[in-house]
Amino acid sequence: MKLLMSLLLALLLVVPGCSSEKKQSDGKLQVVTTLFPLYDFARTIGGDRATVTLLLPPGVEPHSFEPRPEDVVRVNRADLFIYTNAVMEPWAANIISGLDKGKVEVVEGGKGIALMQGPVSDQHRGEHDAHEGKGMDPHIWLDFDNARTIAINILAAYVARDPANKAFYQQNAAKLDSDLAALDQRFKATLAQCPKKVLLHGGHYAFGYLARRYGLKYISASAVNADAEPTPAKLAELVQVMRREHLGYVYTEELLSPRIAETIARETGAKVLMLRAGHNVTRDDLQRGVTFISLMEENLRNLKTGLQ
């Protein structure tokens, strides 16, 4: 695979004008993003001055994503390549190492954002420590202040690459910033009124930032790594928490199996609700035009129901 990717990159780089001709065909910036929040922010800020594409195929869970040679070729034809951070997308390093840095600007969307510590399961501790930042939680966009910082980093990259359209990008970014700030206020006002403060999630540790920001106690079935499986003892503990806290709902997340949440629900008579971590979306989501904010509004409705 690595040899094939190297050969394809070599072929791409020796074809004269391949990248520049594509950029000049419509005068728009060519932007490739890794995850959906980055894609949504980039297309919002870029407006009709940028062509933004999502590297992840619809419905693919990003933690297990493996870039294909054609993905590297696509990124090499872009002006900007935007990823979150090395912990969220460890596979991005392989793409970045093969880029022509003179043509493609690499943008770390999460630059300047401190990661919070998440739990690491014992059975995955060695592998996770080696590959995912020793249990650091990379889902930074679920704190909406962090989401605003990501948008600012994307704006800076647009302006640096295309200063002639600076005012246009700044205007779009200001509207996005205002919308994210308003979303944050709606979360604060709504969740402050909820009598329950325990968020029990039958998936991997993805909502730590959201819980910390809004004063919730967050309990997940698994650690940060999405492929971790809870032990029978952990499942028994979660069932006890559901009963002790009189919780009527357990949460699951998109693109991952709901099996654990459904097991907890059967044991406790609870119902299952969806929470969107937002890494990626389905093809249907894309076709109906979902946005990061619309996904988070869906989360707020389900949190309001589940924390009653």
Side-chain angles (χ1 to χ4, degrees), residues 100-121:
D100 180 351
K101 303 303 193 300
K103 295 181 179 179
V104 185
E105 182 72 24
V106 177
V107 182
E108 182 184 349
K111 184 177 181 180
I113 298 174
L115 299 183
M116 66 181 289
Q117 182 70 43
V120 182
S121 61

Side-chain angles (χ1 to χ4, degrees), residues 41 44-45 144-145 147-149 151-152 155 169-187 292-293 297:
F41 298 165
T44 300
I45 295 171
F144 301 142
D145 258 4
R148 295 169 74 185
T149 298
I152 290 170
L155 169 63
Y169 299 136
Q170 287 178 329
Q171 181 179 11
N172 291 344
K175 175 64 165 59
L176 174 59
D177 185 75
S178 176
D179 289 344
L180 288 169
L183 177 71
D184 182 45
Q185 289 303 313
R186 289 195 294 276
F187 265 74
F292 176 78
I293 289 178
E297 292 282 14

Side-chain angles (χ1 to χ4, degrees), residues 251-262:
Y251 289 92
T252 187
E253 63 186 286
E254 79 276 37
L255 307 183
L256 292 174
S257 170
R259 180 174 55 84
I260 300 301
E262 290 171 349

Side-chain angles (χ1 to χ4, degrees), residues 198-203 219-221 235 238-239 242 247-253 258-275 302 305-307:
V198 178
L199 170 57
L200 197 143
H201 171 215
I219 304 171
S220 65
L235 279 175
L238 295 177
V239 168
M242 291 284 293
L247 300 178
Y249 294 87
V250 57
Y251 289 92
T252 187
E253 63 186 286
R259 180 174 55 84
I260 300 301
E262 290 171 349
T263 299
I264 295 170
R266 282 196 303 271
E267 290 293 320
T268 60
K271 297 178 181 179
V272 177
L273 278 175
M274 173 73 71
L275 270 187
N302 285 345
T305 297
L307 297 178

Side-chain angles (χ1 to χ4, degrees), residues 35-38 41 61-63 84 88 137-144 147 150 201 203-210 218 224 226 251-256 273-281 285 291-292 295-296 298-299 302:
L35 305 185
F36 181 76
L38 307 176
F41 298 165
E61 211 290 319
H63 294 87
T84 312
M88 185 64 240
D137 182 358
H139 308 87
I140 53 176
W141 56 87
L142 291 173
D143 180 320
F144 301 142
I150 292 171
H201 171 215
H204 82 299
Y205 191 92
F207 299 98
Y209 291 95
L210 184 149
Y218 175 45
V224 177
Y251 289 92
T252 187
E253 63 186 286
E254 79 276 37
L255 307 183
L256 292 174
L273 278 175
M274 173 73 71
L275 270 187
R276 300 278 205 139
H279 313 75
N280 197 6
V281 294
D285 287 331
T291 66
F292 176 78
L295 292 180
M296 295 305 108
E298 179 184 324
N299 279 352
N302 285 345

Side-chain angles (χ1 to χ4, degrees), residues 39-89:
Y39 167 76
D40 189 50
F41 298 165
R43 66 178 176 174
T44 300
I45 295 171
D48 61 5
R49 313 288 167 88
T51 299
V52 182
T53 58
L54 181 61
L55 189 66
L56 285 177
V60 170
E61 211 290 319
H63 294 87
S64 57
F65 176 67
E66 289 290 341
R68 303 161 299 177
E70 55 265 37
D71 294 326
V72 184
V73 172
R74 177 149 63 104
V75 175
N76 252 299
R77 291 175 174 165
D79 294 297
L80 301 175
F81 173 59
I82 307 173
Y83 74 111
T84 312
N85 54 50
V87 180
M88 185 64 240
E89 303 108 318

